[in-house]
Every structure is written in C-alpha cells, then in structure tokens.
Amino acid sequence: MDQLIIRGNDTVEEHIYIPVAVKAIHLVLGIAILGVNLIVMVAYAQDRDIRRVPANVLILNLSISDFVTGVDLIARFIWAVGLDAVVPLRQTVQCLLLGAFHYGSFVLSTLIVIEISWDRLKMVSNPFKYRQRTIRRVVVISTCSWCVPVLYVCYLAFVVPFVEDLFPSEYKGTVCLETHLPGVFVILSFWVDFFIPFIILFIINGLVILKLRKATLERFQQQKSEYKGTGRETSASETSIYSNINHGTIYTVSDGKENTLQNHTLDLITHPHGNGTTLGGESFPLEQSPTDVRIKEATKREFRKFYRTAAILKVFVGVYVICWMPFYVILAINLFTPIPEWGIILASANIAFNSFINAFLYAYMSRKFRRRFLLMFRCQRR
C-alpha cells in the first residue's frame, strides 16, 4: 500500500497503512501466546515435583518471557495496529516502551533458550555433577538474563529521548514499528539478534547429539558385556531347540517372545526406521541366539531413544530459523527494493510466533508438565 504523508505547517508526519488481517494476527497470536504460557506458569506453581527440578526454573522464565511477548502484541494492537487505517510514526513515551518490550522480550527469550540448551549439554556430559546443581544457582543465572531487557528498556526510555536529534525524520518510527530501519541497524541486528544466537544453538545442540551418540554406544557395549559375562549364556536346551528350527519360521525363546529366524546371524543394529544406515557408520553383528535377541531388542530401544532426541533437537534449531529468518530476509530486500511496511510488521509477528511454539517445545514435551496439564484439565490438584 502507498505510504501517506501529511504535511503540516513546518513538520512532516508519516503514516503507514496496515491491513485488517495483520491487525487480527497480532490480536489472535497475542491471546494464544498468553494462554499457552499462562498454563505453563500455573502448572509450575501447582506441582511441587516440577519445582524441585532446577531445569524447570529456566522453562518457567521462558514462559514468563514469552508471556511478555504476548502482552506486547496485544499492546501493539491496541496502540498502533488497532487504530484507524493509517498509523502515525512518532517517537512518544508509549512508542519507546512498546519498542523496549518488543525487542527486549525477543532477546530475553533467545537467551533463555540458549541457557536451556546449555543445561541439556551439561546434563548429558556429566550426569553426576549435573545432579548436584541447586535451584538457587539456576535462579541466579535466570536473574542475570532478565538484566538484559531491563537495560534495554532503560536505554530506550531514558537515553533515546536525549539523543532524539540523532535520528533523521524518516527514522522516527523505528523504535515503535520495524519500518524505516537504517541499513546499519539491520546489519547489526542480523548478527547480534539472529546469526550469533543461531550459531551458538547449532553448536550446543550438535554437541548434545554427539554426547548422546557416545552414551548410546557405551550403553550398547555395557548391555552386551552384562549378558555375555554374567552367566546369561544360552542354555543347552535353548541351543538344541534353536538349532532345529528352519529359517523363516516362528520360534519362541525362553522369555516367551516370538521371533522370525531369517539368517544364521542377526541383522545388524541399524537405524530404527529401517533405512539401512548404522549409527555413526558402525555396525554390530551378533551371533544368533536367544541371548543375542534380548541384546538386540534392548539396544534398539536405546537407539530409538537417541534418534528421537536427536530429531527433537533438530526441530528446536529449525523452528528458531523458520521464525527469525523471514524477518531479516524481508529487511534485506527492503534495503534495495521498498516493500509495503505491513509486510515488515507481519514478519516481525512471525518472530513472536516463536513464543507460542516454545511452550510446546520445552514445557509440553516434559513428562511432569504433561501429567500436571492432564490434572489441570480434569480440575484435580493431585
């Protein structure tokens, strides 16, 4: 849509047009973010078992941060998006505070997500030392994270008004809405708000996957040695029954499980989805016996758990990219080819969608949180 410029006596005031659909997205998304994160906070307050886990303190802080994002979206709807068809771009106290809440909540959410990923890496790297962590220590770390948006709010509320003359007239609405951003600010924001956090998340989650892979392989070797070295060898009767069975038929071992014999040696322990690949390019051939069948089934469960966790970690990083990347792509295009201002605002709302997804990625996937949610929906405290 065309930009409207209203000229007064000696001033030039710019207005932008925002479609009704963009207004509705801000309102609906803000209400949804408030709802899902409020449920998480209530679950944390009601369940003592949840409060005993230090890592859940980070999840609580993430929910509070995302809750602030929901409040920001509704406030932007009421103050700017909910106005008439045109929105004035002026630097006011309300504008500065909205900008502080908007960017501060995004930065805080990203910091806490990085802290949760780092906490997961510590848990996998040294489980014994990780169990010695206290809730007080996690609270101190979370408090330090909250200092960042507080400083941002103070900067916009107290510093920016004194340096208002440094902003050209066409950048007056920068802190209110994401339009008219200077090129230098776009480049700096891309590196500080998106690319560097993405690299940190990618590295941390990659290390978690490698640690889990190593732990899974060690668990496999441990199970194999336990079965082979503690008198669990196949009995003579089992061996006799086993050797007289034709290939491709159903047989029953001592544990009562039915299996189909296809080859003289068991298949390799491969990817649980059956794509023919092995974990890390390694294979584990086992002699075919009822004991080996038990080892294989136990190891499959370990491998399934590993691949499921690895897939979840990939989703964490992927969601972050999907929610943040469109905003900077549109800003980069806007530096060379002007696009409608409402497109930039919509891309910014896509970043806020990450605050809605976070509740499902971190809280709703926790077994203790899910149990509490079910009790809440059934109107039960225990």
Side-chain angles (χ1 to χ4, degrees):
M1 300 294 176
D2 294 334
Q3 179 174 293
L4 301 178
I5 300 179
I6 301 177
R7 297 183 180 276
N9 296 330
D10 297 321
T11 61
V12 176
E13 187 176 83
E14 293 191 71
H15 290 65
I16 61 174
Y17 173 78
I18 300 179
V20 177
V22 178
K23 302 178 184 180
I25 288 175
H26 278 72
L27 181 61
V28 173
L29 184 58
I31 295 175
I33 292 174
L34 292 180
V36 295
N37 288 284
L38 181 62
I39 293 175
V40 174
M41 291 186 286
V42 172
Y44 182 91
Q46 289 185 350
D47 200 310
R48 183 179 302 176
D49 293 336
I50 294 178
R51 295 196 300 270
R52 289 175 178 174
V53 180
N56 290 337
V57 176
L58 296 176
I59 295 179
L60 173 65
N61 280 270
L62 181 63
S63 298
I64 297 175
S65 172
D66 293 334
F67 188 87
V68 173
T69 300
V71 174
D72 166 69
L73 287 180
I74 296 179
R76 288 161 68 90
F77 170 81
I78 296 174
W79 176 78
V81 184
L83 294 176
D84 295 332
V86 292
V87 178
L89 296 181
R90 296 189 299 265
Q91 279 190 2
T92 60
V93 175
Q94 297 87 344
C95 166
L96 295 174
L97 292 178
L98 284 174
F101 277 114
H102 189 64
Y103 295 107
S105 62
F106 287 165
V107 172
L108 177 61
S109 179
T110 302
L111 286 176
I112 297 178
V113 167
I114 293 176
E115 291 175 2
I116 293 176
S117 300
W118 179 257
D119 180 82
R120 188 180 291 112
L121 177 60
K122 289 295 184 181
M123 178 183 63
V124 176
S125 302
N126 194 340
F128 177 76
K129 185 177 180 180
Y130 177 81
R131 295 190 187 98
Q132 299 177 351
R133 297 188 66 185
T134 61
I135 295 179
R136 180 179 300 179
R137 182 178 179 181
V138 180
V139 169
V140 172
I141 296 175
S142 303
T143 303
C144 294
S145 301
W146 279 90
C147 292
V148 176
V150 170
L151 292 176
Y152 202 90
V153 171
C154 293
Y155 166 75
L156 289 179
F158 300 104
V159 178
V160 171
F162 291 100
V163 296
E164 184 176 357
D165 294 336
L166 298 179
F167 290 88
S169 59
E170 62 269 20
Y171 299 147
K172 291 295 185 181
T174 296
V175 294
C176 309
L177 303 174
E178 292 77 12
T179 59
H180 304 81
L181 292 174
V184 175
F185 181 84
V186 172
I187 297 175
L188 181 63
S189 177
F190 171 80
W191 282 93
V192 175
D193 297 341
F194 171 71
F195 189 75
I196 293 178
F198 165 72
I199 293 298
I200 295 175
L201 287 174
F202 182 82
I203 293 175
I204 293 178
N205 287 285
L207 291 176
V208 172
I209 294 176
L210 292 178
K211 294 289 185 180
L212 285 175
R213 174 187 177 277
K214 181 180 178 181
T216 303
L217 296 178
E218 292 176 352
R219 177 61 178 165
F220 165 78
Q221 296 296 340
Q222 179 183 359
Q223 289 178 343
K224 185 176 180 180
S225 62
E226 287 177 355
Y227 277 109
K228 294 298 185 180
T230 58
R232 295 183 178 179
E233 294 291 344
T234 306
S235 63
S237 59
E238 288 177 339
T239 305
S240 176
I241 296 173
Y242 185 82
S243 61
N244 292 329
I245 298 178
N246 295 326
H247 299 298
T249 60
I250 302 298
Y251 68 94
T252 304
V253 297
S254 59
D255 59 359
K257 295 182 179 180
E258 293 186 350
N259 294 277
T260 303
L261 179 61
Q262 299 292 347
N263 301 296
H264 288 286
T265 58
L266 289 178
D267 297 332
L268 301 180
I269 303 297
T270 58
H271 191 285
H273 300 295
N275 61 359
T277 60
T278 59
L279 183 62
E282 302 181 30
S283 59
F284 308 93
L286 303 174
E287 297 177 0
Q288 187 166 343
S289 69
T291 299
D292 292 326
V293 172
R294 299 188 193 100
I295 300 175
K296 180 178 180 180
E297 293 301 322
T299 306
K300 276 187 175 180
R301 289 193 295 270
E302 294 293 331
F303 286 177
R304 289 192 186 101
K305 186 186 301 183
F306 164 76
Y307 281 107
R308 182 168 58 249
T309 305
I312 292 173
L313 295 178
K314 294 176 183 177
V315 170
F316 290 164
V317 179
V319 168
Y320 180 81
V321 174
I322 293 174
C323 292
W324 283 78
M325 179 62 78
F327 177 69
Y328 291 101
V329 171
I330 291 178
L331 288 183
I333 296 175
N334 187 62
L335 293 177
F336 303 97
T337 303
I339 61 175
E341 286 81 0
W342 62 263
I344 300 176
I345 299 174
L346 184 61
S348 178
N350 187 65
I351 298 179
F353 184 72
N354 194 20
S355 298
F356 175 77
I357 296 295
N358 282 338
F360 295 92
L361 292 180
Y362 296 97
Y364 287 75
M365 295 184 67
S366 171
R367 183 178 302 176
K368 292 183 178 181
F369 272 102
R370 288 201 305 269
R371 182 186 62 185
R372 171 50 51 184
F373 296 151
L374 291 176
L375 292 176
M376 291 172 58
F377 291 141
R378 295 172 184 173
C379 298
Q380 301 177 4
R381 293 190 63 86
R382 290 290 178 187

